[in-house]
Amino acid sequence: MNHVPLAILIACYNRRDQTLKCLQALYEQNVSCDVYLVDDASSDGTSDAVRANYPTVKLIQGKGNLFWGGGMRLAFSEALKVGYDYYLWLNDDTTLEADAIAKLLDTHHKLASQGYPNSIVVGSTRDPVTKKPTYGGQVRYNRWRRLKFKLVEPGEQPQQCQTMNGNCVLIPAAVAEKVGNIDDAFPHQLGDYDYGLRARQKGCLVWIAPGYIGTCSRNSYSGSWKDSNQPLAKRLEKVFSLKGMEPREWKIYTKRHGGIFWYLYWIFPYLRVIISSVFKQMDYSSTEL
């Protein structure tokens, strides 16, 4: 058994079976760790099932208003009070391979030996059916599109990137001391991207571990604000919500990372919804004619 002072941070809500599957794969890892699980008032019996099957999990109860960012921030803050050498963000819809955590830790050890101790290590996931990459390290499309990122497929060696999805992320204590917790300005999303970008601003690096660490299906755009099949009013309602591009938090993010033209990035999602809906309606009209 490899005894590494490691905290696993998970947030969950009404996905009991997925949460249990995630924990099962986690406890099959050959590492010693403490698991901090925030259950944001699930109504499907998640907490009871976790207590019955994994009694050593440090279960923290939310009140139903935390979302991903708030749940992960709460788990992180509790673990930071204790102090660990490493903190691992893990989504409960991610199923780890047997050597996943060992691979992440080994990658960091190698980077530290090469002079890069203040490095975040990102684990890449792929779809369990199609095997296509789903989440992991992200890089900018180009210098002119500062807030547009694309997923990088893992290779045989660690690769640097600019930020990351928060599905599986290893953060050493030295980085946590510099960057702190997930910013409470981002209740649901953007907190992972912001964390990676802030880490780099503070002199840390973000690396993609070699290979894939597990599976995770990609979230569907269907029914979201990006779904142009929905009525414009519904899309606008969703883009302004916490699960969309809530204007206040999007403003903070764009001002922080968008440069002098941040306001153009800020307005773009809302214009995109309106224009794409209008042009889709025009397309429908021409088809009917």
Side-chain angles (χ1 to χ4, degrees):
M1 180 70 71
N2 185 18
H3 294 282
V4 177
L6 170 68
I8 312 293
L9 315 177
I10 308 173
C12 69
Y13 177 71
N14 277 349
R15 300 197 295 194
R16 180 183 58 191
D17 292 345
Q18 278 192 338
T19 301
L20 293 176
K21 182 180 179 181
C22 172
L23 290 172
Q24 179 181 351
L26 174 60
Y27 278 102
E28 290 174 355
Q29 306 288 309
N30 189 33
V31 294
S32 178
C33 61
D34 288 337
V35 180
Y36 291 78
L37 174 66
V38 173
D39 180 4
D40 196 21
S42 294
S43 59
D44 64 351
T46 296
S47 288
D48 290 340
V50 170
R51 291 190 188 98
N53 290 278
Y54 302 99
T56 61
V57 168
K58 299 178 185 301
L59 193 59
I60 305 164
Q61 297 294 334
K63 297 181 179 180
N65 59 353
L66 292 174
F67 297 93
W68 181 86
M72 292 298 290
R73 184 166 50 252
L74 178 55
F76 206 168
S77 67
E78 291 301 308
L80 286 170
K81 292 175 184 178
V82 176
Y84 294 84
D85 289 347
Y86 295 95
Y87 305 87
L88 180 72
W89 298 356
L90 182 62
N91 273 19
D92 72 334
D93 58 353
T94 298
T95 303
L96 296 175
E97 295 182 357
D99 63 344
I101 295 180
K103 183 185 295 184
L104 295 173
L105 291 168
D106 182 63
T107 300
H108 183 264
H109 294 157
K110 288 180 178 178
L111 290 170
S113 69
Q114 295 168 7
Y116 307 113
N118 296 334
S119 294
I120 293 171
V121 180
V122 184
S124 302
T125 62
R126 53 185 169 185
D127 187 272
V129 178
T130 66
K131 305 304 179 184
K132 292 182 179 180
T134 51
Y135 297 103
Q138 301 276 341
V139 295
R140 288 189 176 94
Y141 268 79
N142 55 53
R143 60 182 295 190
W144 307 111
R145 304 175 73 180
R146 293 181 58 84
L147 301 184
K148 180 70 173 178
F149 294 88
K150 59 183 178 181
L151 183 66
V152 179
E153 291 192 46
E156 295 181 358
Q157 299 296 327
Q159 304 173 72
Q160 276 200 55
C161 59
Q162 289 160 323
T163 190
M164 69 277 176
N165 301 120
N167 298 63
C168 184
V169 179
L170 183 71
I171 301 174
V175 172
E177 290 174 5
K178 287 177 175 289
V179 186
N181 206 331
I182 297 170
D183 196 320
D184 61 7
F186 309 111
H188 183 59
Q189 52 189 9
L190 297 176
D192 48 1
Y193 276 59
D194 172 74
Y195 198 95
L197 294 171
R198 284 194 292 122
R200 286 174 55 87
Q201 291 169 356
K202 293 179 179 293
C204 305
L205 296 174
V206 183
W207 294 80
I208 303 166
Y212 291 95
I213 56 83
T215 59
C216 181
S217 298
R218 190 161 187 83
N219 292 332
S220 173
Y221 288 156
S222 178
S224 75
W225 67 272
K226 296 181 180 180
D227 184 357
S228 60
N229 290 316
Q230 295 190 102
L232 175 58
K234 180 62 68 174
R235 293 184 69 193
L236 287 173
E237 177 186 341
K238 291 185 176 182
V239 77
F240 288 134
S241 73
L242 284 177
K243 291 188 176 182
M245 305 298 285
E246 196 278 326
R248 183 193 64 83
E249 61 183 87
W250 180 233
K251 181 179 179 180
I252 294 171
Y253 182 80
T254 53
K255 287 187 73 173
R256 186 175 290 175
H257 305 297
I260 60 174
F261 297 112
W262 67 267
Y263 52 90
L264 297 178
Y265 295 111
W266 179 81
I267 200 171
F268 179 76
Y270 316 118
L271 291 178
R272 174 185 172 185
V273 167
I274 295 171
I275 293 171
S276 62
S277 291
V278 168
F279 274 93
K280 189 169 183 64
Q281 290 298 322
M282 291 173 63
D283 288 342
Y284 287 154
S285 299
S286 62
T287 301
E288 291 170 359
L289 290 174

